[in-house]
């Protein structure tokens, strides 16, 4: 009997995602903030891409990195949110085994890419503030492209072992994943084998992705803050430090939930499961939602371009209504004369 059960799950064709276990009755209500945040992610990041593409004055390293971040945020959130909303709205819990591993790969790959882009943006800000006269010669288009390529390759290579390790384990217990998406540790915990290699590799990636990146980001912003406090005027210091603090808040909003989720999935056995799941979804939605607001709306050049865009459209709509009113008035006057 046990042998037949083992055979059933050794190579599962599908997994079952439970969503938020224990809160199934509230799935529809939980979907409202999730859907709202996802809509803001889509709208905000596509707006950033459109503005940078159409405004030639924004074709600079900082905005190229911002576009990379926008694309990464779109992929990171879209790799999970459609399935999460399908679970919440339609109770569509099944996911193909290969699709599950693909989703797992995309989440870890683009999380690593996003971390690398944060580091690249910190480097750009460091050069712009501490070495402003050499900024254009240090960060040329070629250098920016090479940095972007290195970030993508690093993220792709770090995430590649995840699905291969997960595929090799025998799954003889169950195919039910108590989560909203295929999170690495929640998948491999279903295996009836020693999964320490998967856990250790995940901790190694966590050290590379968060430990090293955060270390260099802290070093960059330490140098930036030193340069800010040496500025001659108080207004300049306040303005520049305000921008840096908002950037650091977005970075913390990404790294803290990532670190917390990774550690609790391994060691947080006493924490409520639904709390762990909510935290795991925070870094998939909150940073992609905040990034266009903090990096975009608070950036003067993008804010001005956005205002010009809406003002221009508003003027065109007003002109169209004015011409329509004049035409209607002329037609009525002509009818009265006749």
């Amino acid at each position: 009997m046990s042998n037949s059960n083992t055979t059933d799950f050794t190579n599962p064709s599908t997994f079952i995602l439970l969503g938020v276990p224990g809160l199934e009755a509230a799935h529809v209500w939980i979907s409202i903030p999730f859907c709202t945040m996802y809509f803001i992610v889509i709208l905000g990041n596509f707006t950033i891409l459109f503005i940078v593409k159409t405004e030639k004055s924004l074709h600079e390293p900082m905005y190229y990195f911002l576009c990379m971040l926008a694309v990464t945020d779109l992929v990171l959130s879209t790799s999970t949110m459609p399935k999460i909303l399908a679970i919440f709205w339609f109770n569509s819990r099944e996911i193909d085994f290969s699709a599950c591993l693909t989703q797992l790969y995309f989440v870890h790959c683009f999380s690593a890419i996003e971390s690398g882009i944060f580091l690249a943006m910190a480097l750009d800000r460091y050069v712009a503030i501490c070495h402003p006269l050499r900024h254009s010669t240090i960060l040329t288009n070629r250098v920016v492209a090479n940095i972007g390529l290195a970030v993508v390759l690093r993220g792709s290579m770090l995430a590649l072992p995840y699905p291969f390790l997960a595929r090799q384990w025998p799954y003889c217990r169950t195919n039910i994943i108590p989560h909203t998406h295929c999170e690495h540790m929640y998948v491999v915990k279903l295996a009836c084998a020693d999964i320490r290699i998967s856990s250790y590799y995940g901790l190694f990636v966590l050290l590379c992705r968060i430990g090293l990146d955060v270390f260099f980001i802290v070093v960059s912003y330490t140098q930036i803050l030193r340069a800010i406090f040496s500025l001659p005027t108080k207004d300049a210091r306040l303005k520049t430090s305000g921008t840096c603090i908002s950037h650091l808040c977005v970075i913390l909003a990404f790294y803290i939930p990532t670190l917390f989720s990774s550690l609790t999935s391994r060691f947080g056995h006493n924490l409520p499961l639904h709390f762990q799941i909510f935290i795991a979804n925070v870094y998939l939605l909150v940073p992609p939602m905040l990034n266009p607001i903090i990096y975009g709306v608070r950036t003067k050049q993008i804010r001005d371009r956005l205002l010009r865009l809406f003002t221009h459209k508003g003027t065109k709509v007003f002109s169209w209504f004015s011409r329509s009113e004049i035409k209607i008035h002329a037609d009525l006057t002509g009818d009265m004369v006749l």
Side-chain angles (χ1 to χ4, degrees):
M1 190 79 173
S2 63
N3 289 338
S4 65
N5 286 340
T6 300
T7 305
D8 289 342
F9 290 108
T10 298
N11 294 299
S13 59
T14 58
F15 281 125
I16 307 296
L17 293 166
L18 293 185
V20 186
L23 297 177
E24 287 86 356
H27 272 179
V28 174
W29 296 105
I30 295 171
S31 72
I32 295 173
F34 274 63
C35 184
T36 303
M37 286 190 287
Y38 184 51
F39 175 76
I40 296 171
V41 169
I42 298 294
L43 180 64
N45 286 290
F46 271 117
T47 301
I48 292 292
L49 291 172
F50 173 76
I51 288 175
V52 174
K53 183 180 184 299
T54 54
E55 187 67 35
K56 290 186 177 180
S57 64
L58 299 180
H59 293 180
E60 297 176 0
M62 174 184 173
Y63 302 104
Y64 291 147
F65 288 132
L66 191 57
C67 287
M68 294 178 200
L69 186 65
V71 172
T72 303
D73 285 336
L74 287 168
V75 177
L76 184 62
S77 56
T78 303
S79 64
T80 57
M81 278 311 302
K83 183 60 183 177
I84 292 172
L85 293 176
I87 294 169
F88 290 161
W89 290 342
F90 311 115
N91 203 31
S92 176
R93 299 182 176 186
E94 287 193 359
I95 184 169
D96 184 76
F97 181 63
S98 297
C100 184
L101 296 184
T102 303
Q103 185 187 70
L104 182 153
Y105 174 78
F106 269 78
V107 168
H108 287 280
C109 173
F110 281 89
S111 295
I113 290 173
E114 179 142 350
S115 180
I117 293 172
F118 279 135
L119 176 57
M121 295 177 79
L123 172 66
D124 173 69
R125 291 299 83 205
Y126 164 74
V127 176
I129 293 173
C130 298
H131 304 283
L133 299 179
R134 299 172 56 198
H135 182 261
S136 59
T137 57
I138 294 174
L139 287 174
T140 62
N141 288 344
R142 184 187 181 94
V143 171
V144 170
N146 288 336
I147 291 173
L149 181 61
V151 166
V152 171
L153 287 176
R154 188 195 71 156
S156 303
M157 296 304 294
L158 284 175
L160 197 58
Y162 282 117
F164 285 104
L165 288 171
R167 185 179 286 277
Q168 75 170 358
W169 305 128
Y171 295 88
C172 54
R173 293 173 181 166
T174 180
N175 64 341
I176 297 174
I177 303 173
H179 212 290
T180 53
H181 61 274
C182 293
E183 204 278 333
H184 172 240
M185 286 306 299
Y186 284 86
V187 172
V188 298
K189 280 179 181 178
L190 304 181
C192 52
D194 186 354
I195 59 166
R196 280 183 296 181
I197 186 172
S198 286
S199 182
Y200 292 157
Y201 182 74
L203 290 173
F204 165 74
V205 172
L206 193 66
L207 177 64
C208 292
R209 198 178 81 191
I210 295 183
L212 291 176
D213 288 359
V214 168
F215 172 76
F216 288 115
I217 288 171
V218 168
V219 170
S220 297
Y221 274 96
T222 301
Q223 297 299 317
I224 288 169
L225 290 174
R226 286 180 60 187
I228 288 172
F229 288 124
S230 65
L231 292 173
T233 62
K234 184 178 179 181
D235 289 341
R237 288 196 297 270
L238 288 174
K239 183 179 179 181
T240 312
S241 61
T243 302
C244 288
I245 289 170
S246 62
H247 290 183
L248 286 172
C249 288
V250 172
I251 291 170
L252 291 174
F254 174 76
Y255 283 114
I256 291 175
T258 302
L259 180 62
F260 187 85
S261 177
S262 298
L263 294 178
T264 54
S265 65
R266 293 171 172 82
F267 312 114
H269 307 296
N270 297 325
L271 288 173
L273 185 57
H274 64 269
F275 178 72
Q276 295 183 41
I277 292 171
F278 279 125
I279 293 298
N281 283 283
V282 163
Y283 83 90
L284 298 176
L285 275 175
V286 173
M289 180 184 69
L290 291 178
N291 289 339
I293 298 170
I294 300 299
Y295 287 109
V297 176
R298 283 184 63 89
T299 303
K300 185 178 184 302
Q301 293 88 333
I302 292 180
R303 186 173 65 247
D304 291 347
R305 180 68 179 86
L306 194 61
L307 289 173
R308 286 206 310 272
L309 182 68
F310 282 114
T311 304
H312 179 65
K313 285 191 174 183
T315 304
K316 287 177 69 176
V317 170
F318 179 76
S319 300
W320 183 83
F321 275 116
S322 298
R323 288 197 301 270
S324 299
E325 288 178 359
I326 293 170
K327 185 176 184 303
I328 292 170
H329 179 73
D331 291 344
L332 289 173
T333 306
D335 291 342
M336 290 175 66
V337 171
L338 290 173

